[in-house]
């Protein structure tokens, strides 16, 4: 029987010797570290320096979070993260941890991060002889008939010793006497004591014998326990039951149904009557847990399942069955029944995620370890062999470790957060049993952003149509770009790309809001001076390193009616245009008196001039062509018509708010001879007095004529080369019912414009934002070819 003094009675020199020998036993086995320590080692004792034995850098242990992650139930051990020393954290009792299992191994799983490493450390708990053998009974009574012949054996109770190997029971001794001796028989690993009768008994001489059975273990020093025995001498019944086998074997599957028959033992007795009737009972030395698992029919010897059979709790059951006859005194014998449990696939695999990086950068290289995974299955054989897999179409893969059922989840291809920013990876662990059992576990992994996308503009190039005479400092346009990245990698700032070139000097008058891309002009633009220009806007993100892109902005200045018509003829003098024309009185109707000439620096409707008579002395005599400015006679002169007529001509453009100029023509009607003479005199006077004015007027008229002819030629060429696919359309000026007699074409940027009047055939559409009669001609070349 165990007592406190027995358990703690190990001499100090033995503990010191054992500790020094076993503690120094450190070895590497298949990439693992193994330590051996004795049980009952004092809390705080050093087991070994794991980091040093593994070759780890001790200075980085704390930063790498070196720790025990599994394998140490109830935290029997702990590791110092500062120096990697493994120490005893709780009192270690080998008998509580492993019971009778030998060797007693505790497997520890240790992890260090950055980079991820996993190490396996095994600690063998060596048995210390801290238990003494003990018997379940304080006194054992044996009844022996006097008729029993010497040599007869009687099985005695066995002593229990929780220690293992050499420290368990090794021998039995009996106190000195004349009638009995001890014989030890081995049944498997067990030593069974038998009381052997050496000398015939005589009840009349000694009706009982007092004996002491001593069980001694193999410790150093050895421990022992005693059992008091009383042998009562009886008469008669001199044949004992005999089993057909001394050892019976049976096999049953786990989870077998309750009341299933396992095996039937059979014993016979040569006696007759009650001395030959046999009853079967379980041996009294069995663990009481066995009584809850099996039942025994006392009459037939049949053993049936009584409780839940679980292979993971016990693989083998050892039963002692005793057969006793009903004689007086009864005689008994026993046998051993060994029941082996067959494993069934009744346990699903277990997935243990040892370490997991929940966020992976999208620029991580293939082969990066994301998680360490351990798979366990409590079943044995194929039932415990596990196949592990992950979801299809994932940029990850499972790589097995050198140790069975250990896996690393690694990146197998490059990631793109802009395509997929989150992954739910389902790990499937399936054993090889029949039918197979599976376990699923989902790992959630986020992909962190890297600045790998340049800003993108919605349109490139960008076209801006800006009306001239804009207010300096006002907003004229806004550009916007987007970035597929996140956070600061997508934060954009805008700037104008300024280059040292004559074409780009205009950008000095542009300003941009770096936050929202709003562009303002610091000067007012004049269509007559500048019709088009371009500049570039850059967008830069806030990543590190930052990425940027540019977009070209093509600016087209749109004309406003800001120029009044200028009278070319008659020549202006002192701020007014006035001329004198003399015509013979005998001219016919339709005679060209003169032609008022004017031009307008604007284009389109803004530059389309119309002529009208503001004042005339006789409306029946003179007519003015609205479009050409020609003044012609409407009828023949009569004798009653006045000799001098004043005509005031208004020249007006067609802008929304039209601008105008006036010219005055004095027509003098003379007799034919006077007209010819006056004409000669006038010509001579002009040659002498106004030669300079005439010279400049000729240059001006010549230039206008040349430009007009060139425009007509270009228009004819374009109309001839126009595709037949274009259909003619007509635009009608609602306020005019006449016919336009001329047209003007011009270019602005990559667009071609044509100014037309009412009822002129066109093959184009009106540009939004321009005047109604300013048209965009369909190009016969690609846009890229038109831009120059």
């Amino acid at each position: 029987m165990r007592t406190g003094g027995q358990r703690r009675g190990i001499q100090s020199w033995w503990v010191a010797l054992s500790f020094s020998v076993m503690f120094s036993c450190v070895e590497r086995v298949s990439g693992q570290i193994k330590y051996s320590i004795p049980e009952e080692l004092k809390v705080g004792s050093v087991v070994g320096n794991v980091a040093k034995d593994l070759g780890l850098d001790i200075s980085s242990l704390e930063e790498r979070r070196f720790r025990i992650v599994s394998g140490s139930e109830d935290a029997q051990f702990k590791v110092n993260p500062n120096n990697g020393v493994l120490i005893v954290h709780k009192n270690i009792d080998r008998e509580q941890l492993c019971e009778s299992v030998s060797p007693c191994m505790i497997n520890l799983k240790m992890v260090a991060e950055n980079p991820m490493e996993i190490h396996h450390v095994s600690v063998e708990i060596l048995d210390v002889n801290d238990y003494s053998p003990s018997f379940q009974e304080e006194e054992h009574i044996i009844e022996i008939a006097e008729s029993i012949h010497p040599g007869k054996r009687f099985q005695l109770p066995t002593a229990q010793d929780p220690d293992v190997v050499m420290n368990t029971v090794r021998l039995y001794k009996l106190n000195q006497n004349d009638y009995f001796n001890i014989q030890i028989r081995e049944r498997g690993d067990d030593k069974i004591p038998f009381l052997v009768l050496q000398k015939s008994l005589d009840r009349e001489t000694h009706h009982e014998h007092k004996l002491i059975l001593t069980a001694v273990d193999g410790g150093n020093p050895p421990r022992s326990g005693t059992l008091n025995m009383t042998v009562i001498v009886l008469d008669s019944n001199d044949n004992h039951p005999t089993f057909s086998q001394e050892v019976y074997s049976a096999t049953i599957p786990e989870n077998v149904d309750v009341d299933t028959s396992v095996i039937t033992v059979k014993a016979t007795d040569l006696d007759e009557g009650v001395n030959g009737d046999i009853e079967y009972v379980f041996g009294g030395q069995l663990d009481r847990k066995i009584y809850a698992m099996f039942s025994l029919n006392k009459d037939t010897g049949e053993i049936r399942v009584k409780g839940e059979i679980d292979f993971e709790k016990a693989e083998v059951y050892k039963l002692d069955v005793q057969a006793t006859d009903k004689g007086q005194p009864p005689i008994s014998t026993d046998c051993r029944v060994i029941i082996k449990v067959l494993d069934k696939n009744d346990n699903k695999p277990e997935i243990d995620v040892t370490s997991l990086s929940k966020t992976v950068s999208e620029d991580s290289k293939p082969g990066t370890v994301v998680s360490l995974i351990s798979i366990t299955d409590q079943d044995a054989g194929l039932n415990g062999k596990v196949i592990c897999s992950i979801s299809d179409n994932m940029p990850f893969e499972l790589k097995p470790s050198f140790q069975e059922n250990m896996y690393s989840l690694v990146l197998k291809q490059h990631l793109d957060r802009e395509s997929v920013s989150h992954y739910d990876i389902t790990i499937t662990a399936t054993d090889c049993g029949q039918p197979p059992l599976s376990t699923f576990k989902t790992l959630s992994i986020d992909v962190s952003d890297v600045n790998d996308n340049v800003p993108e503009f919605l349109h490139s190039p960008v076209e801006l149509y800006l009306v001239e005479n804009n207010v300096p400092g006002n907003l004229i346009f806004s550009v916007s770009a987007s970035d597929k990245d996140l956070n600061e990698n997508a934060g954009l700032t805008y700037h104008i790309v300024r280059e040292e070139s004559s074409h780009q000097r205009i950008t000095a008058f542009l300003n941009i809001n770096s936050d929202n891309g709003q562009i303002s002009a610091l000067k007012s633009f004049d269509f007559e001076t500048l019709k088009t220009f371009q500049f570039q806007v850059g967008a830069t993100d806030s990543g590190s390193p930052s990425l940027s892109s540019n977009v070209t902005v093509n600016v087209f200045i749109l004309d406003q009616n800001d120029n009044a018509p200028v009278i070319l003829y008659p020549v202006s003098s002192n701020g007014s245009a006035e001329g004198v024309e003399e015509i013979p009185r005998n001219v016919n109707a339709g005679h060209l008196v003169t032609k008022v000439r004017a031009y307008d620096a604007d284009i389109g409707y803004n530059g389309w001039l119309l002529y009208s008579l503001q004042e005339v002395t006789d409306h029946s005599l003179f007519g003015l062509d609205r479009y050409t400015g020609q003044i012609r006679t409407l009828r023949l002169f009569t004798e009653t018509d006045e000799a001098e007529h004043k005509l005031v001509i208004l020249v007006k453009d067609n802008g929304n708010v039209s601008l105008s100029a006036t010219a005055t023509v004095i027509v003098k009607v003379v007799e034919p001879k006077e007209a010819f003479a006056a004409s000669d005199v006038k010509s001579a006077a002009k040659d002498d007095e106004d030669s300079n004015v005439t010279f400049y007027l000729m240059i001006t008229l010549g230039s206008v004529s040349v430009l007009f002819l060139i425009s007509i030629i270009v228009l004819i060429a374009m109309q001839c080369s126009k595709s037949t696919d274009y259909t003619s359309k007509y635009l009608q000026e609602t306020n005019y019912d006449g016919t336009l007699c001329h047209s003007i074409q011009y270019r602005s940027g990559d667009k071609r414009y044509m100014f037309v009047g009412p009822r002129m055939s066109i093959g184009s559409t009106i540009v939004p934002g321009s005047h109604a009669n300013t048209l965009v001609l369909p190009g016969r070349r690609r846009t890229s070819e038109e831009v120059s």
Side-chain angles (χ1 to χ4, degrees):
M1 180 175 176
R2 180 183 174 192
T3 64
Q6 290 174 325
R7 189 174 183 206
R8 299 290 182 254
I10 302 175
Q11 297 181 14
S12 58
W13 65 270
W14 165 245
V15 175
L17 179 61
S18 300
F19 180 81
S20 62
V21 172
M22 292 180 288
F23 181 73
S24 62
C25 182
V26 179
E27 58 179 317
R28 282 184 176 268
V29 180
S30 301
Q32 299 184 0
I33 298 297
K34 179 180 177 183
Y35 298 96
S36 297
I37 64 170
E39 66 174 325
E40 304 297 339
L41 196 59
K42 186 183 297 184
V43 174
S45 297
V46 176
V47 177
N49 192 317
V50 178
K52 180 179 179 181
D53 294 333
L54 289 174
L56 300 178
D57 184 4
I58 295 177
S59 62
S60 65
L61 293 181
E62 185 173 3
E63 180 181 351
R64 295 181 65 187
R65 296 183 62 218
F66 187 67
R67 65 194 186 278
I68 299 174
V69 295
S70 67
S72 179
E73 297 181 0
D74 298 328
Q76 297 287 345
F77 302 92
K78 70 176 182 179
V79 65
N80 189 326
N82 296 319
N83 54 22
V85 173
L86 183 67
I87 62 175
V88 177
H89 185 55
K90 284 184 62 177
N91 182 53
I92 299 175
D93 187 350
R94 190 205 65 80
E95 286 71 25
Q96 288 184 358
L97 293 175
C98 301
E99 296 184 354
S100 60
V101 176
S102 180
C104 179
M105 303 294 295
I106 295 180
N107 295 316
L108 304 177
K109 188 187 298 180
M110 297 187 177
V111 168
E113 298 180 353
N114 300 320
M116 182 68 65
E117 293 183 13
I118 183 168
H119 300 281
H120 296 271
V121 176
S122 298
V123 180
E124 180 181 3
I125 308 301
L126 301 178
D127 186 45
V128 173
N129 192 22
D130 55 344
Y131 285 86
S132 297
S134 62
F135 295 88
Q136 291 186 358
E137 303 173 301
E138 291 185 0
E139 185 174 359
H140 183 66
I141 298 176
I142 302 175
E143 295 179 341
I144 302 176
E146 62 178 349
S147 59
I148 298 300
H149 298 290
K152 179 66 176 179
R153 298 181 305 153
F154 302 91
Q155 183 173 343
L156 299 178
T158 57
Q160 303 297 321
D161 191 338
D163 295 323
V164 295
V165 193
M166 293 300 299
N167 294 327
T168 191
V169 177
R170 309 304 299 171
L171 59 92
Y172 293 88
K173 296 188 296 184
L174 192 65
N175 62 312
Q176 186 66 36
N177 66 88
D178 296 329
Y179 291 91
F180 301 95
N181 196 3
I182 285 294
Q183 186 182 78
I184 299 175
R185 300 191 64 179
E186 294 186 358
R187 291 181 179 173
D189 296 331
D190 300 327
K191 297 182 183 298
I192 310 300
F194 287 84
L195 184 66
V196 181
L197 182 61
Q198 291 183 320
K199 181 179 178 182
S200 297
L201 298 175
D202 186 359
R203 180 181 170 280
E204 287 69 30
T205 303
H206 299 286
H207 69 280
E208 66 178 20
H209 299 270
K210 297 292 185 179
L211 303 174
I212 298 175
L213 178 63
T214 302
V216 182
D217 63 22
N220 187 11
R223 289 172 172 263
S224 63
T226 59
L227 173 65
N228 294 321
M229 298 190 302
T230 300
V231 178
I232 300 175
V233 181
L234 304 175
D235 277 348
S236 308
N237 198 19
D238 55 352
N239 287 288
H240 58 78
T242 303
F243 282 99
S244 60
Q245 299 174 221
E246 188 169 351
V247 178
Y248 290 86
S249 297
T251 302
I252 59 173
E254 69 171 323
N255 302 325
V256 66
D257 294 337
V258 175
D259 204 36
T260 299
S261 178
V262 179
I263 194 172
T264 299
V265 297
K266 183 66 175 177
T268 58
D269 195 317
L270 297 178
D271 294 326
E272 295 182 355
V274 294
N275 292 330
D277 293 338
I278 299 175
E279 286 187 350
Y280 300 93
V281 295
F282 283 127
Q285 306 305 313
L286 290 178
D287 187 344
R288 294 189 179 275
K289 295 180 182 178
I290 297 180
Y291 293 119
M293 305 303 297
F294 300 97
S295 64
L296 174 63
N297 189 309
K298 67 177 183 177
D299 298 322
T300 63
E302 183 182 23
I303 300 175
R304 288 181 173 272
V305 175
K306 182 180 178 182
E308 181 183 357
I309 304 299
D310 189 355
F311 175 84
E312 286 69 43
K313 293 182 180 179
E315 300 180 16
V316 177
Y317 292 95
K318 297 178 182 180
L319 311 179
D320 285 333
V321 178
Q322 189 177 76
T324 304
D325 61 27
K326 297 180 181 180
Q328 290 298 326
I331 301 176
S332 64
T333 187
D334 58 12
C335 70
R336 172 61 60 89
V337 179
I338 299 176
I339 302 175
K340 295 183 179 180
V341 181
L342 297 179
D343 182 43
K344 287 185 66 176
N345 192 27
D346 59 344
N347 289 279
K348 290 183 177 181
E350 296 180 1
I351 301 174
D352 179 21
V353 180
T354 303
S355 181
L356 173 64
S357 298
K358 294 185 178 180
T359 302
V360 179
S361 176
E362 66 174 321
D363 63 348
S364 297
K365 295 181 179 179
T368 301
V369 178
V370 177
S371 178
L372 296 178
I373 300 166
S374 175
I375 311 296
T376 58
D377 195 314
Q378 295 181 12
D379 294 321
L382 287 178
N383 295 331
K385 183 175 179 59
V386 180
I387 298 174
C388 197
S389 63
I390 63 172
S391 316
D392 295 333
N393 301 322
M394 287 287 178
F396 302 92
E397 63 179 345
L398 281 177
K399 286 191 174 181
S401 176
F402 71 92
Q403 187 174 3
E404 188 177 7
N405 291 336
M406 286 293 299
Y407 295 89
S408 297
L409 181 65
V410 300
L411 188 64
K412 71 176 181 179
Q413 65 187 54
H414 291 286
L415 300 176
D416 183 10
R417 188 207 61 79
E418 288 70 37
S419 298
V420 182
S421 62
H422 178 83
Y423 291 94
D424 287 323
I425 305 172
T426 300
I427 300 175
T428 304
T430 305
D431 61 30
C432 297
Q434 291 297 329
L437 300 178
S438 298
T439 300
F440 305 92
K441 192 155 193 173
T442 300
L443 305 182
S444 294
I445 297 177
D446 292 320
V447 181
S448 61
D449 185 50
V450 172
N451 191 28
D452 57 349
N453 288 277
V454 298
E456 295 181 356
F457 289 91
L458 182 61
H459 300 288
S460 181
V462 177
E463 293 185 353
L464 168 61
Y465 295 90
L466 178 63
V467 178
E468 67 173 328
N469 302 320
N470 57 291
V471 178
N474 282 7
L475 175 68
I476 63 171
F477 192 57
S478 179
V479 295
S480 178
S482 61
D483 195 310
K484 295 180 180 178
D485 294 319
L486 287 178
N487 302 326
E488 66 274 4
N489 294 333
L492 301 181
T493 57
Y494 300 90
H495 64 279
I496 294 177
V497 180
R498 306 186 189 274
E499 299 178 357
E500 291 298 329
S501 63
S502 59
H503 187 67
Q504 290 293 331
R505 289 176 185 173
I506 193 68
T507 59
F509 298 99
L510 299 176
N511 193 18
I512 188 169
N513 188 316
S514 61
D515 296 326
N516 54 30
Q518 293 182 345
I519 301 173
S520 57
L522 303 180
K523 64 171 289 185
S524 179
F525 295 102
D526 183 12
F527 174 82
E528 288 70 37
T529 304
L530 178 67
K531 292 180 172 57
T532 181
F533 66 91
Q534 67 175 205
F535 62 95
Q536 286 190 327
V537 175
T540 304
D541 61 31
S542 301
S544 181
S546 60
L547 301 177
S548 63
S549 62
N550 296 340
V551 65
T552 298
V553 180
N554 294 315
V555 183
F556 301 99
I557 308 299
L558 301 181
D559 182 45
Q560 275 192 327
N561 191 25
D562 57 347
N563 290 279
V566 176
I567 305 298
L568 296 178
Y569 181 82
V571 179
S572 297
S573 177
N574 298 323
S576 63
E578 184 174 338
V580 177
E581 296 291 340
E582 293 183 349
I583 61 174
R585 183 178 291 274
N586 62 348
V587 295
N588 295 325
H591 175 75
L592 177 63
V593 178
T594 187
K595 181 177 181 180
V596 178
R597 294 180 176 85
Y599 81 98
D600 195 312
D602 296 319
I603 65 170
Y605 267 110
N606 297 328
W608 181 24
L609 301 181
L610 296 178
Y611 302 85
S612 63
L613 285 171
Q614 291 294 102
E615 294 183 23
V616 61
T617 54
D618 189 345
H619 287 281
S620 64
L621 272 177
F622 300 99
L624 174 66
D625 189 287
R626 184 177 185 180
Y627 302 107
T628 63
Q630 292 180 349
I631 301 174
R632 294 180 180 273
T633 58
L634 297 177
R635 62 178 175 81
L636 295 173
F637 288 94
T638 64
E639 294 296 330
T640 60
D641 291 329
E642 295 181 1
E644 184 174 306
H645 299 272
K646 180 180 180 181
L647 284 73
V648 178
I649 295 91
L650 176 68
V651 183
K652 180 175 67 174
D653 60 31
N654 278 267
N656 287 335
V657 178
S658 62
L659 302 178
S660 62
T662 59
T664 302
V665 176
I666 305 297
V667 179
K668 293 183 179 181
V669 180
V670 298
E671 294 303 323
K673 294 180 179 180
E674 295 177 0
F676 293 138
S679 175
D680 294 338
V681 172
K682 184 176 181 180
S683 298
K686 286 183 179 179
D687 290 338
D688 296 337
E689 300 174 3
D690 300 324
S691 60
N692 291 335
V693 174
T694 303
F695 177 73
Y696 291 129
L697 180 60
M698 291 178 64
I699 291 176
T700 302
L701 292 176
S703 300
V704 172
S705 300
V706 170
L707 290 174
F708 179 74
L709 288 175
I710 292 174
S711 299
I712 295 298
I713 293 171
V714 171
L715 178 61
I716 293 173
M718 291 175 60
Q719 293 297 325
C720 293
S721 61
K722 184 187 300 182
S723 172
T724 58
D725 292 340
Y726 299 123
T727 59
S728 296
K729 300 179 183 178
Y730 296 89
L731 297 176
Q732 178 67 41
E733 174 64 56
T734 57
N735 297 324
Y736 175 68
D737 58 358
T739 302
L740 181 67
C741 62
H742 71 282
S743 64
I744 299 175
Q745 294 190 47
Y746 65 95
R747 293 177 62 88
S748 179
D750 60 351
K751 302 253 190 255
R752 293 188 301 112
Y753 299 90
M754 180 173 72
F755 165 70
V756 297
R759 298 186 182 177
M760 178 173 182
S761 174
I762 59 173
S764 58
T765 57
I766 299 176
V767 176
S770 68
H771 299 298
N773 282 32
T774 302
L775 308 171
V776 178
L777 294 177
R780 290 177 295 277
R781 295 178 296 173
R782 293 182 303 170
T783 304
S784 60
E785 295 173 348
E786 292 180 355
V787 178
S788 59

